């Protein structure tokens, strides 16, 4: 039909032009010259062309007006029938929503870290939440350094969500300005908000705009200042002027004196659409810490149901007015078109007093949970919950199982967009594609709001001159074309869903709980972890999944404690660490090598708790960073670590040993030590004593200041130990020395047990040496049931008889920090009574331990650790006065207190582990600086036979005692037991 109309029109034009031409030709003969004739022809053609174009324009304009009238008619009908509107939106959205919801998860989520390090808690939090929602996460510092953003593959559709953390905002805005995000791509910055909430000399920037002159908002001018605390200051005169009398009355309004953080999600700037989260952070006036709660619950408990509803409405209205006022001051009205699905998280801090008229004292364009009792875990957990809620609202169809959609979906969506642009869609609204997307998005948000509540737009409010001023100005400045109709449709949707949710109780947790009889009884029906939080953050391998039960993580040498807080999926499930009565959250010391933490998910609804699920976390702590020793080095020494100064009167850290520059080595005294408590220090080769990272820590050795401790090779040790009985009484550190002795004497350790009572070993030195052990103190027993030291010693003597009253019988006593002068007097009394006063007694002094803040055990403060040195000194002097041998383990361990191994006390410097196969020699490399500055390894000097008579039943496994610090003071023990053999032997 269009072709027929065009041909008819052309034929009529030609006929008319021909008639005019014939008339002019006839006049030519009488009056016209040649130029005049041509001018006339040109004029005639121009006239008819203009006439035809005008007619055609009028025809189209009339047709468009008629169609627009029809659209307006449909729009008015839809306002009266919101169900029809929702039906049209969902019908038109089906294909596009399926495409984008699947597409959003198969693309990438990019985190721009800005000023944050990749290991910062903030970065790890976003990464964990995004991964759990099904995204593949990439990290970059800025948009310009992101490979995914630079390549911009597939026409810029390779990523789905862009998170811009602090320091990367400008880079994000440049990306949005130069490469408009697609409809399925989201960015956590709204360009229209860029700069309006900045601090301008103590005043929020948007408040300085002339367009807001005469408008008084309930916000402190300095609310945008970064350094201002929400609790600081008092309202000024302008704030008091805004506080007009409100029809609130309540007898107990004093309980409302508090600061409340409200969390807002803005999903669109033009037109404004925003939601508020039901969770708030409350800090009562007299409290030092904040806590999270539900806004409605907080107000209802203090004000009752009616008044609390008015207070919340009043608060929401203030937030809406501030947002609209800020948007009114934006200069770039086209910013919204650059990022249709940009969103912004905001924190509004309200200060309430007894008048119930709040003032915004702090406004931040991010989520902030400051002032909580446990700011790291509580704030992190609250923020993670909220971020998950945000992603579920923005991407309700996101799934990790989503697949790449076919081209059919993409072409179908593009065709639909074209139809909507030409007003040929099934909706009949004649809205541009951008506005159709906004309506569809808003409908989805209202349909499944989750823990969010609509903030704006809401149904029209009662008359308010101030509110009308902001509303009118914002519409005139920001709305265009179909904006009034769009705003009307948004308000109609909000009104419809508000009424619907008020009449339904689908989101009421009480109804859900009532529908589940097991939950109603408090049963743990879903015994899984929701998340495993650690401080400092650890990278779990594999990534956390509630169905995965074992995880591994690595931490560097400097990390000596880790704080762990598992969170269960169900509030009815109880978490305990390591044991049935263990804590829910704990601070753990992380020893060198491997550590294991068990996480028990328990059902405690019955009288007898039941372990439902066990998660296991294996943590590997790296050894101290070390550089290989080069030809040019210096010898450095240290007595104590600067991280824990035990002796304030002595220097800490590395110091240069005079006369050891270049390739020279430290020279030890040729005199053997006369006691096991000779003053000494650790020595280590380094490139520079000012940087401990340049040292070869594999070569660190203990060096007494004016003597040396002889090292015995195995034949000497076996000869020395022949016919001896060595009795050990003490804790696990004492037991570690015993196992080291057994391995040195036997070459291998074939029997090992964490004995906590009395045990005797007969299979030493081909049956010619006996070792026995008694654990003391038995701290796990009730205090009234614990054996006394005297009783434990007598039991050990009885189990070890017959005993010879000579140095052939050796008693080794001591532990971490339980030994005192009373124990020394008890030893003397018992030995004299038993006729064993001539045996050799070796006192192991105190050691480092219990210096870390660990839950469940005692922890010494710094002054308590420093006091240990004086106590230790008294023990050593008293023991020597009684004629006993001593070993100063405190001086040896305090310089290397970070190198503890497994154990919550941070006091174990040994660990026994099973070798992968039996071996004839499992002695590790030991470094004690001997005469002439030579570092000796006793295992490398074995001159006797490697095999000996087998015990009656040889086990199939061998064990090894590792720990270089334990090896040092254990070798000093051997040198003191065999002092006569060592001095007369081949080792000088």
């Amino acid at each position: 039909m269009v072709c027929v109309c065009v041909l008819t029109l052309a034929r009529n034009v030609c006929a008319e032009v021909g008639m005019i031409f014939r008339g002019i030709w006839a006049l030519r003969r009488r009056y016209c010259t040649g130029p005049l004739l041509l001018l006339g022809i040109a004029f005639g053609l121009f006239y008819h062309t203009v006439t035809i174009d005008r007619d055609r324009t009028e025809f189209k304009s009339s047709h468009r007006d008629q169609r627009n009238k029809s659209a307006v008619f449909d729009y008015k009908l839809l306002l009266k029938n919101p169900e029809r509107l929702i039906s049209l939106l969902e019908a038109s959205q089906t294909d596009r929503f399926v495409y984008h919801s699947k597409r959003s998860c198969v693309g990438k989520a990019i985190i721009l870290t800005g000023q944050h390090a990749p290991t910062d808690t903030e970065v790890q939090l976003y990464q964990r939440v995004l991964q759990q929602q099904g995204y593949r996460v990439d990290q970059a510092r800025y948009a310009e350094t992101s490979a995914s953003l630079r390549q911009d593959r597939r026409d810029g559709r390779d990523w789905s969500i862009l998170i811009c953390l602090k320091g990367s905002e400008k880079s994000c805005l440049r990306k949005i300005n130069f490469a408009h995000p697609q409809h399925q791509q989201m960015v956590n910055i709204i360009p229209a908000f860029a700069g309006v909430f900045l601090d301008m000399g103590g005043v929020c920037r948007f408040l300085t705009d002339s367009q807001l002159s005469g408008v008084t908002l309930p916000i402190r001018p300095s609310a945008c200042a970064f350094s201002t605390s929400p609790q600081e200051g008092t309202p000024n005169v302008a704030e008091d002027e805004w506080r007009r009398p409100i029809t609130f009355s309540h007898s107990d309004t004093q309980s409302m004196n508090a600061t409340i953080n409200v969390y807002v999600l803005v999903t669109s700037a033009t037109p404004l659409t925003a939601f508020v989260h039901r969770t708030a952070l409350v800090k009562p006036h007299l409290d030092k810490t904040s806590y999270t709660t539900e806004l409605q619950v907080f107000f209802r408990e203090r004000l009752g149901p009616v008044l609390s509803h008015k207070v919340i409405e009043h608060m929401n209205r203030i937030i809406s007015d501030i947002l609209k006022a800020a948007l009114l001051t934006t200069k770039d009205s086209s910013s919204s078109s650059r990022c249709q699905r940009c969103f912004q998280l905001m924190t509004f801090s309200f200060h309430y007093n007894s008048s119930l008229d709040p003032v915004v004292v702090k406004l931040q364009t991010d989520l902030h949970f400051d002032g909580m009792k446990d700011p790291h875990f509580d704030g992190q957990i609250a923020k993670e919950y909220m971020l998950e809620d945000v992603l579920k609202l923005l991407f309700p169809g996101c799934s990790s199982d989503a697949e790449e959609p076919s081209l059919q979906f993409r072409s179908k969506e593009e065709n639909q967009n074209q139809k909507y642009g030409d007003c040929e869609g099934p909706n009949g609204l004649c809205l541009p594609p951008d506005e159709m997307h906004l309506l569809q998005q808003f409908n989805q948000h209202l349909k499944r709001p989750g823990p969010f509540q609509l903030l704006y737009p809401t149904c029209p409010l009662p008359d308010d001159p101030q509110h009308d001023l902001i509303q009118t100005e914002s519409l005139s400045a920001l709305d265009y074309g179909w904006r009034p109709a769009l705003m009307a449709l948004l308000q109609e949707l909000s009104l419809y869903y508000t009424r619907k949710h008020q009449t339904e109780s689908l989101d009421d947790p009480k109804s859900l709980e009532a529908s589940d009889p097991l939950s109603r009884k408090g049963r743990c029906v879903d015994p899984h972890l929701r998340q495993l939080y650690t401080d400092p953050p650890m990278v779990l391998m594999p990534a956390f999944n509630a169905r995965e039960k074992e995880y591994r993580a690595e931490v560097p040498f400097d990390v000596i404690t880790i704080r762990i807080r598992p969170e269960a999926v169900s509030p009815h499930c109880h978490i305990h660490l390591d044991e049935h009565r263990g804590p829910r959250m704990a601070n753990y010391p992380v020893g060198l090598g491997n550590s294991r933490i068990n996480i028990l998910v328990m059902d405690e609804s019955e009288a007898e708790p039941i372990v439902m699920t066990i998660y296991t976390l294996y943590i590997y702590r790296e050894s101290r960073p070390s550089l290989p020793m080069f030809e040019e080095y210096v010898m450095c020494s240290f007595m104590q670590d600067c991280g824990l100064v035990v002796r304030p009167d002595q220097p800490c850290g590395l110091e240069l040993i005079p006369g050891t520059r270049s390739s020279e080595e430290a020279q030890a005294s040729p005199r053997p030590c006369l006691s096991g408590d000779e003053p000494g220090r650790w020595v280590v080769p380094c490139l520079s004593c000012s940087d401990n990272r340049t040292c070869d820590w594999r070569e660190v050795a203990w060096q007494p200041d004016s003597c040396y401790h002889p090292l015995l090779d195995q034949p000497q040790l076996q000869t020395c130990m022949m016919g001896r009985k060595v009795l050990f009484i003490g804790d696990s550190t004492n037991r570690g020395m015993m196992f080291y002795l057994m391995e040195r004497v036997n070459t291998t350790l074939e029997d090992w047990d964490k004995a906590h009572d009395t045990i005797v070993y007969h299979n030493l030195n081909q049956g010619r040496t006996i070792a026995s052990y008694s654990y003391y103190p038995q701290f796990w027993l009730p205090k009234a049931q614990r054996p006394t030291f005297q009783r434990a010693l007598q039991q050990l003597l009885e189990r070890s008889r017959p005993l010879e009253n000579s140095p052939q019988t050796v008693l080794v006593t001591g532990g971490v920090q339980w030994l005192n002068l009373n124990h020394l007097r008890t030893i003397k009394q018992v030995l004299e009574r038993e006729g064993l006063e001539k045996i050799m007694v070796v006192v192991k002094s105190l050691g480092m331990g219990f210096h870390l803040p660990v839950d469940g055990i005692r922890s010494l403060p710094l002054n308590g650790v420093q006091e240990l040195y004086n106590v230790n000194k008294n023990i050593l002097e008293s023991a020597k006065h009684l004629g006993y041998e001593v070993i100063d383990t405190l001086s040896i361990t305090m310089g290397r207190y970070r190198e503890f191994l497994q154990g919550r006390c941070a006091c174990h410097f040994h660990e026994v582990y099973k070798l992968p196969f039996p071996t004839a020699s499992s002695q590790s490399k030991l470094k004690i600086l001997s005469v002439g500055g030579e570092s000796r390894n006793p295992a490398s000097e074995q001159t006797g036979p490697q095999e000996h008579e087998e015990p009656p039943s040889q086990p199939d496994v061998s064990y090894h005692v590792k720990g270089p610090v334990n090896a040092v003071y254990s070798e000093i023990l051997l040198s003191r037991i065999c002092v006569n053999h060592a001095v007369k032997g081949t080792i000088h």
Side-chain angles (χ1 to χ4, degrees):
M1 179 177 292
V2 175
C3 295
V4 173
C5 292
V6 171
L7 291 176
T8 304
L9 182 61
R11 184 178 58 193
N12 295 338
V13 170
C14 293
E16 291 185 13
V17 170
M19 292 175 61
I20 294 173
F21 181 77
R22 284 193 297 270
I24 293 175
W25 185 259
L27 292 173
R28 170 190 176 278
R29 299 178 181 177
R30 302 178 184 178
Y31 310 104
C32 300
T33 61
L36 182 60
L37 177 64
L38 294 177
L39 181 61
I41 294 174
F43 175 78
L45 291 175
F46 173 75
Y47 173 79
H48 276 270
T49 302
V50 171
T51 304
I52 293 170
D53 183 67
R54 184 192 61 191
D55 294 340
R56 183 165 48 190
T57 303
E58 291 177 353
F59 172 79
K60 288 189 173 182
S61 177
S62 174
H63 180 70
R64 182 174 63 250
D65 291 342
Q66 183 178 1
R67 185 173 56 184
N68 285 347
K69 288 179 181 179
S70 176
V72 171
F73 178 75
D74 291 342
Y75 140 74
K76 291 181 178 179
L77 286 179
L78 290 175
L79 287 178
K80 298 178 181 179
N81 189 359
E83 290 86 355
R84 176 60 178 164
L85 171 62
I86 293 172
S87 176
L88 291 174
L89 289 176
E90 292 183 350
S92 63
Q93 188 186 12
T94 301
D95 292 339
R96 188 195 69 82
F97 179 72
V98 170
Y99 168 72
H100 286 313
S101 62
K102 290 186 175 182
R103 224 208 142 276
S104 61
C105 295
V106 299
K108 293 186 182 71
I110 302 174
I111 301 176
L112 300 185
T113 59
Q115 67 184 28
H116 293 278
T119 56
D120 284 358
T121 302
E122 185 85 354
V123 179
Q124 295 295 320
L125 173 62
Y126 273 96
Q127 177 158 338
R128 181 168 62 244
V129 172
L130 289 167
Q131 287 176 339
Q132 289 181 346
Q133 294 299 315
Y135 297 97
R136 304 191 312 273
V137 181
D138 282 355
Q139 286 187 23
R141 192 158 190 180
Y142 303 107
E144 293 79 4
T145 60
S146 171
S148 298
L149 294 178
R150 280 202 321 268
Q151 294 172 3
D152 218 16
R153 295 189 296 267
R154 290 193 294 172
D155 196 20
R157 300 182 181 181
D158 190 52
W159 56 274
S160 302
I161 186 168
L162 179 62
I163 300 296
C164 308
L165 301 183
K166 189 174 182 180
S168 67
E169 297 92 340
K170 292 183 179 179
S171 176
C172 272
L173 291 173
R174 286 195 296 269
K175 173 64 182 176
I176 296 173
N177 289 337
F178 290 104
H180 298 192
Q182 304 296 319
H183 289 296
Q184 77 277 7
Q185 294 175 325
M186 304 199 71
V187 186
N188 70 327
I189 290 181
I190 292 181
F193 284 161
V196 297
F197 297 115
L198 293 179
D199 177 47
M200 300 292 291
V203 180
C204 292
R205 183 174 180 177
F206 77 96
L207 293 177
T208 63
D209 195 283
S210 60
Q211 297 183 78
L212 294 181
S213 59
V215 179
T216 305
L217 294 171
I219 179 172
R220 184 175 297 171
S222 61
C224 301
F226 177 74
S227 59
T228 304
S229 171
Q231 288 77 37
E232 293 178 359
T234 56
N236 56 24
V237 178
E239 295 166 9
D240 292 334
E241 289 179 358
W242 188 91
R243 286 178 164 174
R244 301 179 311 282
I246 303 176
T247 56
F248 291 160
S249 60
H250 196 267
S251 59
D252 189 23
T253 55
Q254 293 296 329
S255 62
M256 282 301 301
N257 197 344
T259 301
I260 304 176
N261 279 12
V262 180
Y263 301 99
V264 175
L265 171 64
V266 182
T267 54
S268 172
T270 52
L272 176 64
T273 59
F275 295 81
V276 60
H277 201 278
R278 66 186 177 195
T279 301
L281 184 71
V282 177
K283 182 184 180 300
H285 175 60
L286 299 178
D287 290 359
K288 295 181 179 180
T289 59
S290 307
Y291 65 93
T292 57
T293 184
E294 290 192 15
L295 267 176
Q296 292 182 349
V297 174
F298 174 79
F299 286 118
R300 189 186 302 119
E301 290 177 349
R302 287 158 177 79
L303 305 175
V306 178
L307 189 55
S308 64
H309 181 71
K310 293 182 179 180
V311 171
I312 292 177
E313 282 189 345
H314 186 53
M315 173 190 289
N316 292 345
R317 181 176 170 183
I318 292 175
I319 298 175
S320 302
D321 285 350
I322 291 176
L323 291 176
K324 288 185 290 184
L327 289 172
L328 179 63
T329 65
T330 58
K331 306 301 181 184
D332 187 4
S333 62
S334 63
S335 59
S336 62
S337 61
R338 302 194 192 109
C339 187
Q340 289 298 316
R341 299 194 70 189
C342 285
F343 65 95
Q344 186 88 50
L345 290 165
M346 305 185 70
T347 302
F348 286 77
S349 298
F350 286 87
H351 177 69
Y352 275 88
N353 57 23
S354 57
S355 68
L356 296 179
D357 297 326
V359 173
V360 177
V361 295
K362 186 74 175 175
L363 197 160
Q364 298 164 289
T365 54
D366 199 357
L367 300 178
H368 290 267
F369 295 86
D370 303 322
M372 303 190 75
K373 185 177 181 179
D374 187 347
H376 184 85
F377 279 152
D378 289 342
Q380 183 183 6
I381 292 171
K383 190 170 185 177
E384 184 163 329
Y385 271 107
M386 199 161 291
L387 288 176
E388 288 181 0
D389 294 337
V390 168
L391 290 179
K392 290 177 181 177
L393 180 73
L394 299 178
F395 287 125
C398 188
S399 170
S400 58
D401 299 328
E403 300 177 354
E404 179 71 35
S406 63
L407 293 176
Q408 179 182 358
F409 280 109
R410 188 178 306 174
S411 60
K412 192 170 185 178
E413 184 226 1
E414 292 172 353
N415 292 335
Q416 274 195 328
N417 286 344
Q418 293 176 358
K419 290 180 180 180
Y420 295 158
D422 294 336
C423 289
E424 294 180 4
N427 53 82
L429 294 176
C430 287
L431 293 177
D434 293 344
E435 299 187 7
M436 278 300 302
H437 286 297
L438 179 63
L439 269 177
Q440 292 165 345
Q441 173 184 292
F442 189 64
N443 179 62
Q444 286 296 322
H445 294 168
L446 292 176
K447 189 176 182 180
R448 298 180 180 87
F452 285 95
Q453 296 175 352
L454 181 64
L455 178 71
Y456 189 85
T458 56
C459 54
L461 297 171
D463 293 338
D464 185 339
Q466 178 172 277
H467 181 268
D468 289 344
L469 172 65
I470 299 175
Q471 177 74 13
T472 305
E473 293 292 336
S474 64
L475 285 176
S476 63
L478 299 177
D479 293 334
Y480 55 91
W482 275 94
R483 284 300 178 191
L486 177 62
M487 288 301 299
L489 292 174
L490 291 172
Q491 288 182 342
E492 184 62 29
L493 285 174
S494 68
L495 181 60
Y496 170 79
Y497 280 106
T498 300
R499 291 171 176 171
K500 180 179 179 182
H501 292 318
Q502 287 176 349
T503 57
E504 295 178 351
S505 58
L506 295 177
D507 294 333
D508 187 2
K510 295 182 180 179
S511 63
L512 293 176
E513 184 176 346
S515 63
D516 188 347
L518 294 179
S519 296
R520 186 171 62 249
K521 295 179 181 180
R523 293 286 299 276
C524 177
V525 295
D526 187 5
H528 292 92
L529 291 183
R530 177 188 172 275
Q531 188 53 261
L532 178 59
Y533 299 95
T534 64
D535 179 24
M538 294 191 302
V539 179
L540 300 181
M541 298 175 290
F544 182 80
N545 184 318
R547 305 296 172 181
E548 199 72 38
K549 299 303 185 294
E550 290 191 358
Y551 299 91
R552 299 185 182 275
E554 295 184 1
V555 295
F557 172 79
D558 291 333
V559 176
I560 57 178
T561 59
I562 210 87
R563 202 152 60 107
I564 297 178
R565 177 171 169 176
E567 286 289 315
V569 172
S570 170
H572 301 302
C573 299
H574 296 262
I575 303 296
H576 296 279
L577 298 175
D578 278 338
E579 56 187 6
H580 288 64
R581 297 181 180 179
R584 172 176 174 261
M585 175 183 67
N587 216 29
Y588 275 89
V590 184
L592 290 177
N594 294 304
S595 300
R596 185 181 70 180
I597 301 173
N598 289 324
I599 303 168
L600 282 60
V601 183
M602 301 183 64
D603 183 357
E604 299 182 357
S605 60
E606 303 295 340
E608 186 67 25
I610 302 173
V611 177
M612 306 291 289
T613 309
I614 299 178
Y615 292 81
T616 305
L617 175 62
Y618 298 93
I619 304 176
Y620 177 80
R621 180 170 163 231
E622 299 172 349
S623 301
R624 186 190 290 268
S626 180
L627 283 180
M629 186 168 24
F630 296 94
E631 293 182 2
E632 297 294 326
Y633 62 89
V634 295
M635 294 301 294
C636 307
S637 68
F638 65 98
M639 180 185 299
Q640 58 186 343
D641 193 308
C642 293
L644 184 61
V645 178
V646 181
R647 300 184 60 184
D649 59 324
Q650 295 295 323
C652 66
L654 294 174
E655 292 185 310
L656 176 68
I657 300 178
T660 61
R661 291 192 176 276
S662 300
S663 59
E664 301 178 10
E665 288 192 357
Q667 298 294 316
S669 169
R671 178 182 68 84
C673 296
L674 302 179
S675 175
D677 67 338
E678 292 284 352
R681 62 192 63 237
W682 293 97
V683 295
V684 59
C686 305
L687 294 179
S688 171
C689 294
S690 61
D691 189 351
N692 60 17
R693 296 171 299 178
T694 67
C695 303
D696 189 350
W697 290 99
R698 299 169 302 176
E699 302 296 328
V700 64
W702 175 258
Q703 175 181 301
D705 292 341
S706 58
C707 61
Y708 71 93
H709 293 290
L711 293 178
L712 290 81
D713 58 21
Q714 188 164 10
Q716 288 177 310
L717 181 60
Q718 289 178 340
T719 302
C720 164
M721 299 300 295
M722 190 175 298
R724 285 184 183 264
K725 288 186 177 181
V726 187
L727 288 64
F728 293 82
I729 181 171
D731 56 28
S732 54
T733 61
N734 187 283
R735 185 175 60 202
M737 297 173 67
M738 178 188 69
F739 286 136
Y740 184 90
L741 179 147
M742 293 169 60
E743 184 177 3
R744 281 278 274 118
V745 172
N746 264 13
T747 304
T748 60
L749 182 62
E750 298 174 346
D751 194 3
W752 168 75
D753 182 26
K754 287 185 177 181
H756 285 78
D757 47 16
T758 302
I759 189 170
V760 181
Y761 297 93
H762 298 275
N763 59 338
L764 301 179
N765 201 9
Q766 301 181 17
R768 294 173 292 188
T769 302
I770 294 176
S772 58
Y773 171 75
S774 180
Y775 194 98
Y776 181 86
Q778 299 183 18
F779 55 86
W780 59 91
L781 295 176
K783 197 168 185 178
Q785 300 179 15
R786 297 176 189 172
T788 63
F789 180 71
Q790 177 178 336
R791 179 183 175 187
L793 178 58
Q794 289 177 333
Q795 288 179 344
L796 176 63
L797 296 176
E798 291 297 327
R799 290 286 303 271
S800 305
R801 292 187 185 276
L803 297 172
E804 183 180 335
N805 187 20
S806 72
Q808 287 294 98
T809 301
V810 181
L811 175 65
V812 183
T813 185
V816 184
Q817 292 161 13
W818 58 266
L819 188 67
N820 57 44
L821 300 183
N822 292 330
H823 296 110
L824 299 182
R825 288 191 286 267
T826 300
I827 291 173
K828 179 178 174 59
Q829 294 170 0
V830 171
L831 293 181
E832 288 178 349
R833 185 170 62 245
E834 298 293 333
L836 298 172
E837 66 277 1
K838 295 182 181 179
I839 69 173
M840 176 183 285
V841 178
V842 183
V843 176
K844 171 195 174 298
S845 73
L846 308 184
M848 287 301 298
F850 300 99
H851 52 274
L852 299 178
V854 178
D855 296 285
I857 61 175
R858 66 185 180 91
S859 177
L860 292 174
L862 178 60
N863 59 352
V865 175
Q866 293 173 345
E867 180 61 24
L868 288 178
Y869 178 78
N870 296 324
V871 176
N872 188 71
K873 185 178 180 181
N874 292 335
I875 291 175
L876 293 173
E877 291 177 352
S878 299
K880 287 191 292 184
H881 180 73
L882 294 172
Y884 300 157
E885 291 283 350
V886 296
I887 305 172
D888 184 7
T889 49
L890 181 64
S891 296
I892 295 174
T893 57
M894 71 180 186
R896 300 178 70 177
Y897 79 96
R898 298 174 187 266
E899 299 180 46
F900 62 91
L901 299 173
Q902 288 186 14
R904 299 187 66 186
C905 63
C907 62
H908 298 130
F909 294 90
H910 77 282
E911 182 181 342
V912 181
Y913 69 95
K914 183 170 67 174
L915 296 171
F917 49 85
T919 177
S921 178
S922 59
Q923 182 61 39
S924 62
K925 191 174 184 181
L926 171 68
K927 292 291 179 180
I928 299 182
L929 205 61
S930 182
V931 62
E934 297 178 359
S935 294
R936 302 284 303 283
N937 181 359
S940 64
E941 299 181 359
Q942 299 173 2
T943 56
Q946 299 296 311
E947 299 179 358
H948 54 268
E949 182 180 348
E950 299 291 342
S953 59
Q954 180 183 7
D956 297 331
V957 295
S958 295
Y959 301 91
H960 172 57
V961 184
K962 69 176 183 179
V965 177
N966 175 76
V968 166
Y969 54 70
S970 295
E971 283 294 337
I972 296 176
L973 168 67
L974 299 182
S975 72
R976 302 318 304 163
I977 293 176
C978 303
V979 58
N980 295 327
H981 294 267
V983 172
K984 296 178 181 179
T986 58
I987 301 180
H988 299 290

